[in-house]
Amino acid sequence: MTGRRPAEPGMTIAQVETPALIVDLDAMEANIKALAARVAAYPSVRVTPHAKAHKSVEIARRQMAAGAARMCCQNVAEAEAMAAGGINSILLSNEIIGVEKAKRLAQVARTAKVGVCVDHVDQVKVLADAAREADITFDVLIEIDVGMGRCGVTSAAEAVALAKDVAKHKNLHFSGLQAYHGTAQHLRHPEERVAAIAKAAAFARETADALRTAGLPCDVIAGAGTGSYENEMMSGVYNELQCGSYVFKDADYGRNDTAYPFRNALFILASVISAAAPGRAVCDAGLKSLSAESGLPVAYEAPGVTYIKATDEHGTLQLSPQATVKPGDKLKLIPGHCDPTVNLHDWLVACRGDKVEAVWPVARGW
């Protein structure tokens, strides 16, 4: 059940109950425009933003209105939410297994064009059966492992064999490759990302050439993310960019040695609940309000305040001698990783300036 709304339109930020997720609409809209404008210089390349970053139909609509070709999702529940919200082209940029999930995805394909990734024949069979039963067609991408060490076949020959298996099924359409290198997004120095994506692009090109030689058109080569999209875009190989975090920009991307054209647009609004000891304060945003696997959050526009420890319901703040805070003060925290932080909340509080403009539900699920 969706939790109690932390705010209502017309409130000021000071009136928002904490901890809560705040979206700076001006910054978010500037980020969406910045990526769209950059990619427009490469007519053969499309933006296919990742909804896992925001899990919000309202934000997805804004991305589509700015020219996105389709939305990426990472699980069936996200795809269901996007389709129910009117998004008419979706890529599940992940593998699924299990008859029930495949049937659910087939229902999504009744109202939206749906693509999905595979890296094994067992996934192909489950998808083919569900598509045939629902009388729909799935577009299918073969995922190749371009360096992440997670999902994906590891050779061009495997990709060709799998694509041939896809092509046997009337209700499946082989459309290309998923070649996402997630770990490259967080390599700190530009030259590291250049090298990683050059290697990924070379494998993607080799695989696409092998597919075409086998008579299998490879129309889509998808991947890229906020940290490396420039490299994929300029490679001459990729034609779909699956950037997600750019819409918000988080603290971990701020640690990369790169001047991204994106502004911080997502904040955890927290209240100071204790300031009992010199040099220390405690806020109400802990591990149940933010993820810490990519580092702790960073206090925004709060000189001398450093978030140093997260426990279940508490965030410990270190204060410089010049910093003074008291119980009741509110702080904005830039999350270390926006995607899993969003998933901890039921609502996004969309603000313009100091005013709450809207409150959007977070599409969580499995």
Side-chain angles (χ1 to χ4, degrees):
M1 184 175 179
T2 303
R4 183 170 180 269
R5 288 159 65 105
E8 295 297 334
M11 286 183 173
T12 65
I13 289 178
Q15 294 175 297
V16 176
E17 289 194 29
T18 61
L21 276 186
I22 301 291
V23 177
D24 180 331
L25 287 171
D26 290 332
M28 183 193 76
E29 290 165 1
N31 292 345
I32 292 171
K33 289 178 182 177
L35 183 62
R38 184 71 185 97
V39 176
Y42 291 78
S44 64
V45 179
R46 302 177 290 275
V47 179
T48 57
H50 219 305
K52 73 184 177 72
H54 52 70
K55 299 176 81 73
S56 166
V57 170
E58 294 293 339
I59 295 175
R61 288 172 181 158
R62 285 160 171 76
Q63 292 172 311
M64 295 293 285
R70 59 179 167 183
M71 293 300 301
C72 290
C73 296
Q74 202 71 348
N75 59 44
V76 176
E78 288 176 358
E80 289 170 330
M82 292 297 124
I87 304 303
N88 61 11
S89 187
I90 295 165
L91 172 65
L92 185 65
S93 54
N94 196 5
E95 290 73 21
I96 59 170
I97 197 70
V99 171
E100 291 308 314
K101 284 187 178 178
K103 286 182 176 180
R104 286 168 57 194
L105 192 63
Q107 292 305 306
V108 174
R110 289 187 179 278
T111 59
K113 183 177 175 64
V114 173
V116 60
C117 296
V118 300
D119 64 3
H120 194 276
V121 292
D122 288 353
Q123 299 152 357
V124 175
K125 183 180 187 309
V126 170
L127 290 167
D129 289 347
R132 184 180 62 254
E133 182 179 321
D135 193 25
I136 57 90
T137 299
F138 288 128
D139 282 343
V140 177
L141 300 185
I142 307 298
E143 182 158 12
I144 59 175
D145 182 0
V146 292
M148 192 164 182
R150 192 170 64 183
C151 298
V153 300
T154 57
S155 72
E158 289 176 282
V160 170
L162 192 53
K164 286 181 177 178
D165 190 70
V166 170
K168 292 177 186 176
H169 298 279
K170 177 184 175 183
N171 294 85
L172 301 181
H173 171 252
F174 171 68
S175 61
L177 299 174
Q178 170 76 356
Y180 175 65
H181 195 339
T183 51
Q185 311 309 311
H186 308 284
L187 296 172
R188 295 303 180 208
H189 305 297
E191 59 271 19
E192 295 177 294
R193 294 194 295 279
V194 167
I197 299 307
K199 187 175 180 180
F203 182 29
R205 180 184 284 110
E206 173 196 346
T207 306
D209 287 345
L211 288 161
R212 290 165 184 146
T213 298
L216 295 159
C218 185
D219 297 327
V220 174
I221 300 181
T226 299
S228 69
Y229 75 94
E230 287 274 357
N231 306 107
E232 282 95 344
M233 184 169 62
M234 295 187 292
S235 70
V237 175
Y238 288 80
N239 58 16
E240 289 196 4
L241 307 181
Q242 298 172 343
C243 307
S245 300
Y246 83 98
V247 76
F248 290 147
K249 189 187 176 189
D250 54 33
D252 193 66
Y253 277 111
R255 297 179 185 111
N256 282 1
D257 183 17
T258 299
Y260 297 111
F262 309 123
R263 296 158 52 187
N264 290 115
L266 183 74
F267 305 93
I268 305 142
L269 187 68
S271 294
V272 175
I273 59 172
S274 172
R280 186 182 72 214
V282 178
C283 70
D284 59 0
L287 292 170
K288 292 185 179 180
S289 303
L290 54 89
S291 72
E293 89 291 346
S294 294
L296 293 172
V298 174
Y300 179 72
E301 294 184 346
V305 178
T306 305
Y307 192 111
I308 61 170
K309 184 180 180 181
T311 49
D312 282 2
E313 300 284 359
H314 300 84
T316 301
L317 309 171
Q318 185 179 73
L319 308 178
S320 72
Q322 293 74 35
T324 57
V325 299
K326 63 183 184 300
D329 287 351
K330 283 187 165 66
L331 296 171
K332 287 182 178 179
L333 305 172
I334 305 168
H337 188 182
C338 56
D339 304 21
T341 295
V342 168
N343 195 57
L344 293 171
H345 293 259
D346 292 319
W347 304 98
L348 293 168
V349 181
C351 300
R352 202 173 299 278
D354 187 49
K355 292 288 186 180
V356 176
E357 189 168 295
V359 182
W360 298 328
V362 174
R364 294 195 291 165
W366 47 271

